[in-house]
Amino acid sequence: MTLRPVIFIVLFLLYSNLFAQNRFTVLIDPGHGGSNKGAVYGNLEEHELTLSIALKLKNLLAGKNINAVLTRTSDKEVPLKQRAELIESVKPDLFISIHFNSQSFLTTNRGFEIYYPGDDLSSDSGKMIKDYHRANCSFHYGSIFKELYLKSALFNTYKMSFNMFTQKHDLLIFDATTAPGLLLEAGYLTSPDDRACIENSGFINDMSQLIYEVLVKSSQEKCY
Ligand SMILES: [Zn+2]
């Protein structure tokens, strides 16, 4: 074997390794699972809805220039602590926890909500700087989400309202992690208006497509 093919192979491996390292990594966290069903209303069960979206999203991302890691790919219970530990070991550019909301005794609360981690979780100055950076990056990705949500079929065709985009404290998935993250509450199962959207046959596809587009834009506008 001459030297030239060897050099070519080495350069190719180096290049593909560098390329892989520069890839945007997202950790997708479908909420609940197994006996932990989350919100339930009639046939709508939160643990199934979140998994359907996560699996569609995984398919959309397959072969694209974004690494996707899921906290679960089947209907099994995964403790929050274990999800947080996975996030800490993967160190994704962004993690997205997917949930659906419910409201006891009220049916008036409705709409899509996005939460991002707060930035004043510690008085320790080193941690405060990291928290501040994480909150800023999360806000950056959340702003992309909000922008694309307001242009999406979910808002313009299904008329699912956009309610909140806000910092959240005292959520274990934020408190026990350090990566930028967003928690989506993709509608209230207790709201007749939201159920009309969620029960639409295209809802899971459209929601997955929206998150996919958010991730593509986020990978192009990565927060450092
Ligand atoms: Zn939930």
Side-chain angles (χ1 to χ4, degrees):
M1 192 185 222
T2 61
L3 204 55
R4 190 174 289 184
V6 176
I7 290 170
F8 177 77
I9 290 165
V10 168
L11 284 175
F12 174 77
L13 289 173
L14 274 173
Y15 177 77
S16 38
N17 194 32
L18 279 173
F19 189 64
Q21 281 174 1
N22 281 330
R23 271 178 156 198
F24 190 86
T25 297
V26 62
L27 189 141
I28 302 156
D29 175 35
H32 309 278
S35 59
N36 177 356
K37 291 176 186 289
V40 175
Y41 191 99
N43 292 330
L44 296 176
E45 299 194 358
E46 185 180 0
H47 65 123
E48 291 176 350
L49 293 167
T50 58
L51 182 62
S52 303
I53 293 168
L55 293 178
K56 286 263 179 201
L57 192 49
K58 184 173 178 264
N59 282 340
L60 286 169
L61 290 167
K64 304 293 192 305
N65 191 28
I66 295 176
N67 297 321
V69 179
L70 274 68
T71 51
R72 65 182 179 98
T73 53
S74 63
D75 189 22
K76 65 172 183 186
E77 191 167 354
V78 180
L80 265 177
K81 190 169 172 285
Q82 203 173 309
R83 294 171 197 249
E85 282 167 2
L86 184 66
I87 293 167
E88 284 306 275
S89 66
V90 170
K91 300 188 195 317
D93 293 289
L94 172 67
F95 72 85
I96 295 186
S97 286
I98 306 167
H99 287 261
F100 283 78
N101 233 327
S102 68
Q103 178 75 47
S104 358
F105 311 118
L106 277 178
T107 58
T108 46
N109 281 16
R110 65 189 179 104
F112 189 93
E113 298 168 359
I114 303 176
Y115 295 92
Y116 65 98
D119 59 0
D120 58 352
L121 302 175
S122 167
S123 55
D124 170 76
S125 60
K127 189 171 183 303
M128 247 172 72
I129 291 165
K130 283 183 185 161
D131 283 347
Y132 182 72
H133 179 68
R134 195 239 312 230
N136 272 350
C137 283
S138 304
F139 181 86
H140 166 72
Y141 295 127
S143 301
I144 291 173
F145 211 114
K146 182 178 174 183
E147 177 199 333
L148 296 186
Y149 182 80
L150 295 177
K151 290 179 185 166
S152 73
L154 295 162
F155 186 68
N156 293 300
T157 308
Y158 295 55
K159 308 291 182 197
M160 183 182 265
S161 60
F162 185 87
N163 263 347
M164 260 191 275
F165 174 38
T166 186
Q167 280 197 349
K168 187 83 173 174
H169 302 280
D170 303 324
L171 269 184
L172 192 138
I173 204 72
F174 290 159
D175 287 355
T177 56
T178 53
L182 296 173
L183 187 142
L184 314 180
E185 292 282 3
Y188 279 78
L189 299 190
T190 41
S191 156
D193 290 338
D194 284 2
R195 282 200 305 278
C197 304
I198 295 162
E199 283 170 341
N200 191 301
S201 60
F203 177 85
I204 296 290
N205 271 333
D206 288 339
M207 179 60 77
S208 311
Q209 181 66 29
L210 167 66
I211 303 174
Y212 167 72
E213 285 166 16
V214 168
L215 291 172
V216 169
K217 191 156 197 231
S218 297
S219 71
Q220 292 160 352
E221 297 173 19
K222 188 167 159 172
C223 176
Y224 291 96

